[in-house]
Amino acid sequence: MRFTYCILFLVVGFFANAQQFNDFFIDKTLRLDYIFGGNANQQNIYLNEMIQLDKWHGRVDNLAVTPIQGNGQIKVYDEATNKLIYVLPFSSLFQEWLTLDQAKYQFKSFENTFLIPYPKKSVRIDVSFYNAKNEEKILAQQLIDPTDVLIRKSTQISNQYEVIHKAKIKNPIKIALVAEGYSESDMDAFMEYAQKTKENLFKHKIFNKYQDSFEIVAVKTVSKESGISIPSKNIWLNTAVQSNFDTFYSNRYLTTLHTKLLHNQLESIPYQHIIILANTDFYGGGGILNSYSLTTTKNKEFAPVVVHEFGHSFAGLADEYFYAQDVFENKASLNTEPWEKNITSLVDFSSKWKSLVDENTVVPTPNELSKEVKIGVFEGLKGNGLYIPTLTCRMKINNTEDFCPVCNNAIEEMILFYTQKKVKK
Ligand SMILES: [Zn+2]
């Protein structure tokens, strides 16, 4: 009798600790459209619209934890108990813009769209930014009643799509490849690049290892005109998600400011992560954590760049290269360890890849030793006090085969986070 009692206690204890998806959520998505606005001194976040989508396509475990911090986070709390029930780290164009000179004297706003599982009961949603010192500041707090009649029901804009890679697990990581700048008659070409995207992704050994964990769909979003807008050449075109080059006046920085339009295009699509494939041979791209990545298809560097950008948007990896004209905060001078797993300021190196570095390796590691030293601490981001593990990573150069071991580990951790019941923190 005592034995049975003990077992019962253990079982109850286990379920009390393990947060179940069904305890707090139903199998639908709540899409949150926000406006982030302000300037370098003051930022505001406003809820713009809420939409209910028919199904939830994200993770069903590890709901209240995250393997990475991000530049900001959405946190969902059960209102009745104040229990944290979902976390979504993100980065945003608005936060990049804040680091520019013009943010000192101008106000500007940007759209940001996030997907969370649809809550069963009332929730409080906090949206916070992390500053360069990794200090969190909550900028928006909102109570949301899931029965609110003004939460728009999905209108099912029905773009055609094809599943081009099937998963073999129950709750896979769902990626939508979105056509941008492809007219009706260009769609065969888009499908070819969609296939190539899949092939390039799985050429990288960490994605190859977990092929069965991914489901990839190609979405045939039709553009009225062929090609992509290039403002510095006075080219503006009518395209599916209205992307353009010259973001922040940087020629090769290709983004879309229209995240509502992007997600409207995907209302009937099974998706969580987004890779936009742009119909141009102009070099460029962009990738923003848990927002989207965007790559040009006809450029000869397409194959490595599409995977590089996905490294940003999927795993929150930092660039391991540095261009003088790039927007780049000098986090090292603030005596802070950046949150991105593949760069270090050496302020807290043991939280990064220190355990992978041979104890005889010189730190920082001179570039001349890059052939002998497999994993070191190279001054790859010249002049800004940040260091990288190798000189030959996908996050640094196009002319290389794969990610460095540190990026590999970070991507693997993210894949397991999305697909396995419990992961180490
Ligand atoms: Zn790397």
Side-chain angles (χ1 to χ4, degrees):
M1 187 66 192
R2 185 178 285 174
F3 179 72
T4 318
Y5 208 75
C6 182
I7 294 282
L8 193 70
F9 178 77
L10 276 174
V11 170
V12 170
F14 174 77
F15 282 111
N17 288 325
Q19 183 194 324
Q20 304 292 303
F21 183 89
N22 294 333
D23 291 347
F24 296 100
F25 302 105
I26 58 172
D27 185 21
K28 290 181 188 293
T29 295
L30 178 61
R31 188 184 119 189
L32 301 161
D33 292 343
Y34 286 98
I35 303 292
F36 291 180
N39 64 11
N41 297 321
Q42 189 200 342
Q43 299 91 44
N44 294 301
I45 292 178
Y46 306 99
L47 183 62
N48 174 255
E49 198 183 0
M50 293 186 283
I51 298 104
Q52 185 192 84
L53 306 178
D54 282 350
K55 221 178 140 32
W56 170 244
H57 297 287
R59 69 188 194 266
V60 293
D61 292 298
N62 305 309
L63 296 169
V65 290
T66 171
I68 49 171
Q69 176 197 284
N71 287 336
Q73 288 185 3
I74 305 272
K75 292 201 183 91
V76 184
Y77 294 87
D78 176 49
E79 193 199 349
T81 60
N82 206 29
K83 181 183 165 80
L84 179 66
I85 55 174
Y86 192 74
V87 180
L88 178 67
F90 65 82
S91 293
S92 66
L93 270 180
F94 175 61
Q95 287 164 293
E96 276 182 52
W97 178 79
L98 290 175
T99 65
L100 302 181
D101 272 351
Q102 57 171 274
K104 289 176 188 152
Y105 51 84
Q106 238 180 41
F107 283 87
K108 216 165 150 46
S109 71
F110 290 71
E111 292 180 1
N112 285 272
T113 297
F114 303 104
L115 306 173
I116 65 166
Y118 204 91
K120 268 187 173 167
K121 294 181 187 158
S122 289
V123 290
R124 189 186 83 235
I125 299 186
D126 292 0
V127 189
S128 56
F129 282 177
Y130 289 86
N131 66 16
K133 291 181 182 171
N134 290 336
E135 295 161 340
E136 185 180 20
K137 186 178 179 190
I138 297 170
L139 292 173
Q141 279 196 322
Q142 202 115 21
L143 292 179
I144 290 169
D145 172 2
T147 63
D148 187 340
V149 293
L150 291 180
I151 297 176
R152 175 165 76 79
K153 300 289 191 298
S154 160
T155 45
Q156 296 288 321
I157 295 176
S158 48
N159 280 306
Q160 287 188 354
Y161 71 94
E162 284 180 30
V163 180
I164 62 166
H165 180 80
K166 280 202 175 106
K168 290 189 182 147
I169 64 166
K170 197 171 163 227
N171 292 298
I173 297 162
K174 296 186 181 178
I175 305 173
L177 307 180
V178 180
E180 165 66 340
Y182 288 89
S183 67
E184 193 92 56
S185 60
D186 298 326
M187 248 354 127
D188 288 349
F190 164 70
M191 289 306 292
E192 273 177 41
Y193 285 112
Q195 286 291 343
K196 283 184 187 164
T197 299
K198 179 185 87 173
E199 287 159 18
N200 290 322
L201 198 63
F202 293 142
K203 269 184 198 160
H204 292 71
K205 63 174 182 276
I206 201 64
F207 288 114
N208 193 279
K209 181 178 172 187
Y210 293 101
Q211 274 197 41
D212 295 349
S213 300
F214 288 88
E215 179 183 293
I216 306 176
V217 301
V219 188
K220 298 176 181 179
T221 34
V222 178
S223 294
K224 292 228 164 62
E225 293 178 287
S226 271
I228 300 297
S229 298
I230 310 176
S232 56
K233 294 188 173 186
N234 198 26
I235 299 170
W236 286 100
L237 299 173
N238 186 347
T239 56
V241 300
Q242 292 183 18
S243 66
N244 62 268
F245 285 92
D246 298 302
T247 306
F248 307 148
Y249 303 99
S250 167
N251 283 1
R252 63 194 175 80
Y253 198 8
L254 173 64
T255 66
T256 175
L257 301 176
H258 305 272
T259 66
K260 289 185 71 165
L261 173 63
L262 169 62
H263 284 265
N264 286 347
Q265 295 276 23
L266 298 175
E267 279 194 14
S268 62
I269 308 295
Y271 78 106
Q272 187 78 184
H273 301 274
I274 301 169
I275 298 176
I276 304 166
L277 300 178
N279 184 24
T280 176
D281 58 5
F282 211 65
Y283 182 71
I288 303 161
L289 173 65
N290 284 333
S291 186
Y292 60 80
S293 65
L294 223 168
T295 312
T296 64
T297 45
K298 290 176 176 166
N299 187 277
K300 63 177 170 41
E301 305 286 6
F302 160 66
V305 173
V306 72
V307 182
H308 171 101
E309 301 299 351
F310 192 59
H312 290 305
S313 69
F314 177 71
L317 296 172
D319 280 322
E320 293 180 20
Y321 63 81
F322 177 67
Y323 285 134
Q325 73 268 31
D326 273 0
V327 178
F328 218 104
E329 270 180 282
N330 190 348
K331 293 180 180 180
S333 69
L334 295 164
N335 207 25
T336 306
E337 184 66 33
W339 60 266
E340 293 93 337
K341 299 210 164 172
N342 58 331
I343 53 174
T344 182
S345 57
L346 294 174
V347 169
D348 182 16
F349 187 41
S350 54
S351 71
K352 294 293 172 65
W353 62 92
K354 190 177 181 183
S355 61
L356 302 177
V357 179
D358 189 281
E359 58 182 22
N360 297 319
T361 299
V362 190
V363 175
T365 320
N367 284 2
E368 302 81 74
L369 296 179
S370 66
K371 289 231 161 59
E372 302 132 58
V373 176
K374 276 198 163 165
I375 305 177
V377 186
F378 294 97
E379 198 182 20
L381 302 167
K382 223 173 165 31
N384 65 0
L386 293 171
Y387 300 88
I388 56 175
T390 73
L391 299 181
T392 55
C393 178
R394 171 61 63 241
M395 297 312 289
K396 180 170 175 62
I397 52 173
N398 288 334
N399 184 24
T400 190
E401 292 209 337
D402 218 317
F403 290 97
C404 72
V406 172
C407 288
N408 255 335
N409 288 350
I411 293 168
E412 183 167 40
E413 189 181 5
M414 195 58 88
I415 293 170
L416 296 177
F417 166 72
Y418 279 115
T419 57
Q420 297 209 340
K421 277 214 175 313
K422 267 213 158 47
V423 290
K424 63 179 169 53
K425 240 306 330 270

